[in-house]
């Protein structure tokens, strides 16, 4: 695994032997890279767009050094000269000083959300803003190789929709149900996706895009997405419960994702829940997997609509489900002591069903209150159905940000001399 392939938000740490490290040696190239990273960081953080003198002051580098670095970063496409502010009606003693700004569209990352019945891809810029999103419905019984082809299809469509060059995609992350190894390179197990663990989607996408690719558990990514762009931004200790066809959790502790010894932290779907009549572990899905549409009206989907409308029987079902959920995960919450529990689900896809979601959340919170020592805050996800793909973008972006912080001019080399693509 190369340094470019390490994933700051999830991958294995770089091995080291305490007491045996060699003294750091800084070469000329390392110093240039460090200085370039400092100048780029100053450009990105300054408001308004900084002049050369401002950059020199912020970085403590000489003006000639800053000027040379700015030219290099401009040649790489990471920064550009900002448009001059209009001075109409004002007297100017001479040519205004150049100001510089970061180019978020210098490169891109891709987040992918793989589910039993759909695959989605989001192309995002270096500020993490979505540029293009593509979705594709697939059969639940699709084989691993066919599912991998569906992933490559939506990825290429997103790139094409944005008019971007594939060589300017600098990292990608695939969110998936199931167990993922700690190096973020393999799906170890995905019981509800036939043949998916054998498909090796990481190698497939890496060969297609020529950039680092990671795979990560969907609940873990949902937690990261909620921490980044949702209700979890202020919580360093959070449990994100992903409730749908299967049950999983993403755990944030100390502000970072908890993955466990082999990457299986948060697999609450293997808990044997109180009151379960199934021989299998886990909480029976509220909307059964694979249920026919006419039957769904009499089961989960119908119950959700009924609960949202206030029908007593449906309300009782949703309330019971929330209580059983809380009772099952209470030992996990006791062990982790989170400040926040976020419930994320695609079971309530339209605003009209929000009442049912709030019933479920309220029942879970009330039950947990009788079982826990210190009570966390309970919230519904602010990202809803977009939590996983948002986290996938965040995970991929972390890899690029690591390089931007250390050796930024090494990234655009893959796209040097390439014209066109999405413009700022």
């Amino acid at each position: 695994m190369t340094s470019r392939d390490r994933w700051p938000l999830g991958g294995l740490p770089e091995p080291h032997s305490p007491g045996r490290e060699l003294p750091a040696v800084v070469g000329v190239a390392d110093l240039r890279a460090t200085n370039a990273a400092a100048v780029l960081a100053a450009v990105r953080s300054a408001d308004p767009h900084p002049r050369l003198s401002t950059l020199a002051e912020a970085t403590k580098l000489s003006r000639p050094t800053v000027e040379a670095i700015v030219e290099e970063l401009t040649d790489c496409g990471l920064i550009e000269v900002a448009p001059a502010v209009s001075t109409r009606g004002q007297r100017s003693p001479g040519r205004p000083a150049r100001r510089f700004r970061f180019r978020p569209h210098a490169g891109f990352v891709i987040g992918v959300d793989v589910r039993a019945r759909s695959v989605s891809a989001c192309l995002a810029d270096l500020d993490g803003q979505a540029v293009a999103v593509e979705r594709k419905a697939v059969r639940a019984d699709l084989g691993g190789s066919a599912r991998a082809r569906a992933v490559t299809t939506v990825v290429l469509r997103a790139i094409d929709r944005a008019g971007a060059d594939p060589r300017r995609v600098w990292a990608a992350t695939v969110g998936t149900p199931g167990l993922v190894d700690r190096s973020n390179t393999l799906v170890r197990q995905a019981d509800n996706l036939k043949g998916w663990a054998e498909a090796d989607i990481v190698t497939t996408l890496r060969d297609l895009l020529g950039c680092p690719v990671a795979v990560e558990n969907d609940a873990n990514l949902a937690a990261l997405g909620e921490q980044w762009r949702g209700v979890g931004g202020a919580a360093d200790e959070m449990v994100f419960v992903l409730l749908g066809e299967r049950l999983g959790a993403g755990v944030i502790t100390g502000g970072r994702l908890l993955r466990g010894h082999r990457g299986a932290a948060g697999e609450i779907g293997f808990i044997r829940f109180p009151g379960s009549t199934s021989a299998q572990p886990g909480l029976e899905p509220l909307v059964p997997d694979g249920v026919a549409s006419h039957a769904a009206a009499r089961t989960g989907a119908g119950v959700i609509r009924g609960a949202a409308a206030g029908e007593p029987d449906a309300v009782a079902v949703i309330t019971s489900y929330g209580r059983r959920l809380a009772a099952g995960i209470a030992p996990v919450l006791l062990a982790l002591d989170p400040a926040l529990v976020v419930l994320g689900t695609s079971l309530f896809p339209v605003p009209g069903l929000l009442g049912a979601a709030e019933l479920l959340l309220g029942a879970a919170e009330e039950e947990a209150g009788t079982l826990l020592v210190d009570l966390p805050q309970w919230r519904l996800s602010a990202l809803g159905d977009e939590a996983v793909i948002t986290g996938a973008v965040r995970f991929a972006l972390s890899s690029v940000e690591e390089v931007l912080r250390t050796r930024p001019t090494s990234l655009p080399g893959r796209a040097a001399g390439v014209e066109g693509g999405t413009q700022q």
Side-chain angles (χ1 to χ4, degrees):
M1 180 181 290
T2 67
S3 59
R4 279 285 309 279
D5 295 324
R6 293 192 187 92
W7 299 93
L9 297 183
L12 289 166
E14 195 167 354
H16 66 278
S17 300
R20 295 179 179 271
E21 298 91 343
L22 292 174
V25 176
V26 179
V28 173
D30 295 324
L31 184 59
R32 286 176 62 88
T34 300
N35 289 343
V39 171
L40 180 62
V43 171
R44 296 186 74 177
S45 61
D47 185 24
H49 306 310
R51 301 183 178 95
L52 284 173
S53 58
T54 306
L55 294 174
E57 181 179 354
T59 60
K60 309 304 181 187
L61 298 170
S62 70
R63 184 183 174 100
T65 298
V66 169
E67 191 162 10
I69 291 172
V70 162
E71 292 304 319
E72 186 176 9
L73 291 172
T74 302
D75 290 343
C76 290
L78 284 171
I79 67 174
E80 64 184 357
V81 177
V85 178
S86 174
T87 57
R88 183 178 300 176
Q90 301 179 20
R91 296 183 61 185
S92 176
R95 180 180 175 184
R98 293 184 302 166
R99 295 179 179 269
F100 300 91
R101 67 180 181 183
F102 179 62
R103 293 188 64 247
H105 286 201
F108 303 93
V109 299
I110 284 179
V112 178
D113 182 5
V114 174
R115 307 184 189 186
R117 293 177 176 79
S118 67
V119 291
S120 305
C122 174
L123 183 79
D125 66 20
L126 299 183
D127 281 341
Q129 299 301 316
V131 177
V133 177
E134 286 289 328
R135 308 183 193 278
K136 179 178 175 64
V138 298
R139 300 194 321 271
D141 63 350
L142 201 64
S145 297
R147 195 175 297 274
R149 287 195 295 273
V151 169
T152 59
T153 296
V154 294
V155 165
L156 291 176
R157 283 180 182 173
I159 295 171
D160 184 63
R161 176 188 285 263
D165 191 304
R167 290 173 293 179
R168 297 172 66 194
V169 176
W170 291 339
T173 296
V174 179
T176 176
L179 302 178
V180 173
D181 74 323
R182 280 205 66 198
S183 64
N184 299 109
T185 57
L186 296 171
V187 179
R188 292 170 47 207
Q189 180 181 337
D191 293 338
N192 64 329
L193 300 182
K194 182 176 68 175
W196 182 235
E198 292 75 42
D200 194 3
I201 187 60
V202 168
T203 298
T204 298
L205 272 187
R206 190 166 54 207
D207 290 346
L208 177 72
L209 300 173
C211 70
V213 177
V215 64
E216 180 57 285
N217 172 265
D218 51 3
N220 285 349
L221 293 179
L224 288 175
E226 201 69 39
Q227 182 191 41
W228 185 37
R229 295 272 170 88
V231 299
D236 285 340
E237 306 291 334
M238 177 181 78
V239 173
F240 185 104
V241 179
L242 186 61
L243 181 65
E245 293 181 359
R246 56 183 294 279
L247 184 65
V251 179
I252 302 292
T253 183
R256 292 185 57 82
L257 185 66
L258 177 68
R259 304 193 70 239
H261 176 59
R262 296 190 62 193
E267 287 295 335
I268 60 175
F270 289 92
I271 294 174
R272 293 194 175 274
F273 280 75
S276 174
T277 58
S278 173
Q280 301 297 321
L283 186 65
E284 294 94 336
L286 190 56
V287 179
D289 184 18
V291 71
S293 58
H294 67 279
R298 302 193 301 272
T299 55
V303 167
I304 290 171
R305 290 195 296 271
E311 297 175 9
D313 289 346
V315 168
V317 171
I318 292 288
T319 300
S320 173
Y321 197 82
R323 288 174 176 163
R324 286 191 292 125
L325 171 66
I329 67 172
V332 176
L333 301 182
L334 282 167
L336 294 172
D337 187 27
L340 176 67
V341 177
V342 180
L343 180 62
T345 175
S346 59
L347 298 179
F348 314 100
V350 295
L353 300 179
L354 181 61
E358 291 173 340
L359 278 172
L360 176 59
L361 184 78
E365 183 175 13
E366 182 179 0
E367 181 70 14
T370 69
L371 302 170
L372 304 180
V373 176
D374 294 305
L375 305 185
Q377 183 182 15
W378 290 67
R379 297 282 300 276
L380 291 173
S381 167
L383 301 178
D385 212 29
E386 302 302 311
V388 175
I389 204 166
T390 301
V393 167
R394 177 72 183 98
F395 199 94
L397 193 60
S398 73
S399 175
V400 177
E401 287 286 353
E402 185 71 15
V403 183
L404 291 176
R405 284 193 297 266
T406 54
R407 52 191 190 285
T409 55
S410 70
L411 273 171
R414 298 172 56 246
V418 177
E419 301 294 335
T422 301
Q423 299 299 313
Q424 181 84 318

